[in-house]
Amino acid sequence: MPGNVSNAAPVTVLPQMLCTAFQQTREIALQANDYRNGESQRGLQVASSRRKWVLAVRLSASALATLRAFYLARRGGTEPFYYYDPFAVVPIGSNYDPTGANATGRVTVRFEGPWQQSMGMARTDVQIQLVEVN
């Protein structure tokens, strides 16, 4: 049928050395109507929250090069990939599979936002996040 969009089909996995560098957040989309008398109406726009992962650590030169190469190979946010959330299982990080076959803790994500980085003393800050794709 014309106009249909196919589901995301990831073909690669984020390198394991980068998986622990992200911190998970959740976002619930809602619609809010605020009135002049101070009252408001709020309603959910979605049935469940959307998970996001924000880069939470400063990266060494080798980790920065790995992340940058992976970002460019995915053409920014245009190609989905698998991310293994190391904190979704016990023991922590035991779910990583470089082939993407293990479904435990595996999430289909894409990069969100432009590449932004700033240099510091021996480390680099990168402003980038992963967003869950359903």
Side-chain angles (χ1 to χ4, degrees):
M1 186 171 187
N4 284 352
V5 178
S6 61
N7 289 337
V11 294
T12 191
V13 179
L14 185 71
Q16 185 175 17
M17 68 180 287
L18 297 172
C19 287
T20 57
F22 287 88
Q23 174 183 350
Q24 181 180 343
T25 62
R26 287 194 176 256
E27 180 179 291
I28 300 174
L30 63 94
Q31 183 176 11
N33 292 322
D34 296 320
Y35 300 103
R36 296 183 89 184
N37 64 356
E39 293 180 3
S40 67
Q41 281 182 310
R42 298 182 187 278
L44 293 176
Q45 290 182 333
V46 293
S48 64
S49 62
R50 185 177 211 179
R51 295 182 291 179
K52 292 185 177 186
W53 290 266
V54 178
L55 191 63
V57 297
R58 288 181 161 185
L59 299 176
S60 65
S62 63
L64 174 66
T66 302
L67 180 60
R68 178 99 172 135
F70 191 81
Y71 177 84
L72 293 175
R74 305 290 74 75
R75 295 180 300 214
T78 60
E79 278 184 24
F81 55 92
Y82 288 130
Y83 168 70
Y84 280 97
D85 188 353
F87 305 105
V89 295
V90 176
I92 293 174
S94 64
N95 61 335
Y96 186 81
D97 179 13
T99 65
N102 183 11
T104 305
R106 181 184 72 191
V107 184
T108 303
V109 297
R110 65 172 173 78
F111 288 109
E112 184 172 73
W115 180 270
Q116 296 177 0
Q117 77 181 50
S118 60
M119 303 296 282
M121 295 293 289
R123 298 280 186 208
T124 303
D125 290 319
V126 178
Q127 303 297 319
I128 196 83
Q129 64 182 357
L130 309 176
V131 64
E132 183 176 22
V133 179
N134 291 337

